[in-house]
Amino acid sequence: MSTVNFDVAQTLDITCVKGDTFSLDLTIKDSSGTAIDITNYVFYTQIFDGSKLIISTTDSRGAGSQSISEGNIVVTKNADQTTNKGKFNISISSTVMSVISAKGYRYEVQMSTTGDATGVDTTILRGVFVVNQDLVQPPAR
């Protein structure tokens, strides 16, 4: 019996601190380890509490029922994809991180070739997203 595995997602477990700015720099590479030009790709990032979506990028599909408003995860591609191929950043502001409960979640990062229903969507990264309680509460802003 033959099998085929289309699951190319890498697992990366993340631990961060409630109320701190979250910022993760990543580089997309092909199967030979060469960074690829991501100019025409769109990225979606979602964090789940069980099966409930709690926070996502603005471009997430079906995100209307999340408990923290849509668009609070920001994905920024490096504008110079000639010398910085494949580089992008995922960030969440300290203000948003301060309203996320300290506990464990699941997350995923997907990339789409077009960003709409005609594109090819691929989950590229997933894992556990742990938010630890901050020892000192920051002053009110």
Side-chain angles (χ1 to χ4, degrees):
M1 180 166 144
S2 299
T3 60
V4 63
N5 183 359
F6 291 104
D7 186 353
V8 298
Q10 298 294 307
T11 300
L12 176 67
D13 293 338
I14 298 169
T15 301
C16 52
V17 178
K18 179 178 177 72
D20 287 2
T21 299
F22 173 81
S23 181
L24 177 64
D25 291 319
L26 298 165
T27 302
I28 300 293
K29 297 179 180 180
D30 64 19
S31 59
S32 67
T34 303
I36 63 170
D37 184 335
I38 58 172
T39 300
N40 296 319
Y41 289 84
V42 175
F43 293 87
Y44 306 100
T45 303
Q46 303 171 335
I47 298 175
F48 296 89
D49 185 0
S51 62
K52 181 178 172 70
L53 178 64
I54 64 156
I55 184 172
S56 71
T57 53
T58 303
D59 300 306
S60 291
R61 295 164 213 170
S65 64
Q66 61 192 301
S67 60
I68 298 174
S69 64
E70 184 176 347
N72 283 308
I73 299 176
V74 178
V75 177
T76 307
K77 293 183 286 188
N78 190 299
D80 180 6
Q81 286 295 309
T82 303
T83 57
N84 293 301
K85 284 185 179 176
K87 293 185 183 282
F88 69 104
N89 175 273
I90 299 170
S91 65
I92 306 171
S93 73
S94 60
T95 303
V96 173
M97 286 296 297
S98 70
V99 298
I100 297 176
S101 297
K103 63 187 225 172
Y105 301 93
R106 293 177 308 109
Y107 81 95
E108 68 180 3
V109 177
Q110 295 177 316
M111 70 179 192
S112 174
T113 56
T114 62
D116 62 28
T118 65
V120 175
D121 295 330
T122 305
T123 300
I124 57 172
L125 195 62
R126 67 170 158 234
V128 176
F129 188 86
V130 176
V131 179
N132 286 337
Q133 183 63 49
D134 194 354
L135 297 179
V136 179
Q137 293 298 319
R141 296 178 195 207

